[in-house]
Amino acid sequence: MEHELKHGDEPSQARLPLSWFRQSALPLAPQLLGRTIVRVTDQGIIRARIVETESYVAPHDKGSHAYNNRRTKRTETMFQKAGHAYVYLIYGMYHCLNVVAAQEGQAEAVLIRAAAPLTEHDESIMKRYRSLNSNKVVNLSNGPGKLCRAMHIDKSFDGYDMMDGEEMWLEAGKPVWPSRILCAPRINIPYAEEYADVLWRFYVADDPYVSVKDKQAVSLATHERMIETFGSEGFSWT
């Protein structure tokens, strides 16, 4: 990683618009790859490039917290307007960051599983929050719990509006094209039954910050995967 990005490699700092998040979580998840999470902290501003995501699509997806349109104190955020953060706690100690998708009331979300710091400056702040002394920096944020700790994201951000918020938001970054995206089953959801093996986890091929690499993963740039994910083989984005 370079201390400063080379000229021409700088990702766009334009905020992603609300209209962009109103699509379903399934096509949104791969489109979030390469985008930038921005977090304003007491230690400084952190920017990290998203490299791994998972789609959760209620009401039919048994892997979703809002399966069968289940509304609880925890899941209520998923029914909010797109672009809000859905943050929950797992194992009583790890927070997970999701982006609410689709139309208000649909309960769809994308889990941000892993992200890579953009510069050594971002990395240094993230290491401080993780209390990480290891030189193996790929362990810094290669998982949803690690990512939230490294970017100082906790339950207080549940329901946070990332469209207008000044503490956390998403920028356009540099999108990753389908030829560089792999699709695999989501992690640790055997309870999802027939939805346990759907290829709704997306990650950047060969990126060291990806949490789990699947030898059976398939390219998004195939007819079957493009049709299932986007409904069209000719889908493209900017």
Side-chain angles (χ1 to χ4, degrees), residues 26-233:
L26 184 53
L28 178 61
Q31 292 180 78
L32 279 171
L33 298 176
R35 312 301 182 169
T36 306
I37 308 175
V38 184
R39 174 77 174 91
V40 179
T41 75
D42 293 339
Q43 300 292 321
I45 297 176
I46 305 170
R47 282 185 164 85
R49 182 184 74 256
I50 299 171
V51 298
E52 183 181 2
T53 58
E54 289 181 348
S55 297
Y56 289 88
V57 185
H60 305 296
D61 177 11
K62 293 178 181 177
S64 171
H65 293 162
Y67 166 62
N68 205 24
N69 284 329
R70 184 186 300 116
R71 298 186 84 133
T72 66
K73 184 177 180 180
R74 179 168 80 163
T75 66
E76 195 60 35
T77 303
M78 294 182 72
F79 293 87
Q80 290 185 1
K81 186 174 66 175
H84 281 69
Y86 171 44
V87 181
Y88 58 85
L89 192 67
I90 59 172
Y91 310 129
M93 59 190 302
Y94 299 115
H95 291 96
C96 295
L97 171 65
N98 300 255
V99 180
V100 176
Q103 298 297 317
E104 190 170 359
Q106 282 188 226
E108 299 190 22
V110 176
L111 171 66
I112 310 302
R113 278 200 60 87
L118 288 185
T119 68
E120 288 182 359
H121 172 73
D122 300 304
E123 179 187 295
S124 66
I125 300 175
M126 292 169 74
K127 286 176 75 173
R128 256 176 271 158
Y129 278 117
R130 278 287 319 276
S131 299
L132 188 70
N133 296 316
S134 169
N135 290 324
K136 195 173 182 180
V137 294
V138 293
N139 287 330
L140 179 63
S141 48
N142 61 341
K146 295 177 183 179
L147 170 63
C148 282
R149 284 192 174 182
M151 299 195 76
H152 201 45
I153 298 168
D154 58 22
K155 195 70 166 60
S156 67
F157 280 94
D158 184 42
Y160 189 82
D161 186 351
M162 291 190 286
M163 297 296 95
D164 299 317
E166 295 300 326
E167 294 182 63
M168 183 170 67
W169 64 87
L170 293 165
E171 295 177 345
K174 295 185 74 171
V176 179
W177 306 116
S179 59
R180 293 189 56 225
I181 296 174
L182 294 177
C183 312
R186 296 170 295 181
I187 304 297
N188 293 332
I189 55 166
Y191 53 84
E193 298 180 354
E194 68 269 29
Y195 283 87
D197 295 322
V198 293
L199 305 185
W200 288 0
R201 181 166 68 96
F202 304 90
Y203 62 88
V204 180
D206 299 323
D207 193 289
Y209 281 84
V210 171
S211 67
V212 179
K213 294 181 179 178
D214 191 325
K215 292 182 179 179
Q216 304 301 315
V218 298
S219 172
L220 176 60
T222 65
H223 174 77
E224 183 179 3
R225 297 269 57 80
M226 291 291 285
I227 293 296
E228 180 184 348
T229 306
F230 303 112
S232 169
E233 192 172 3

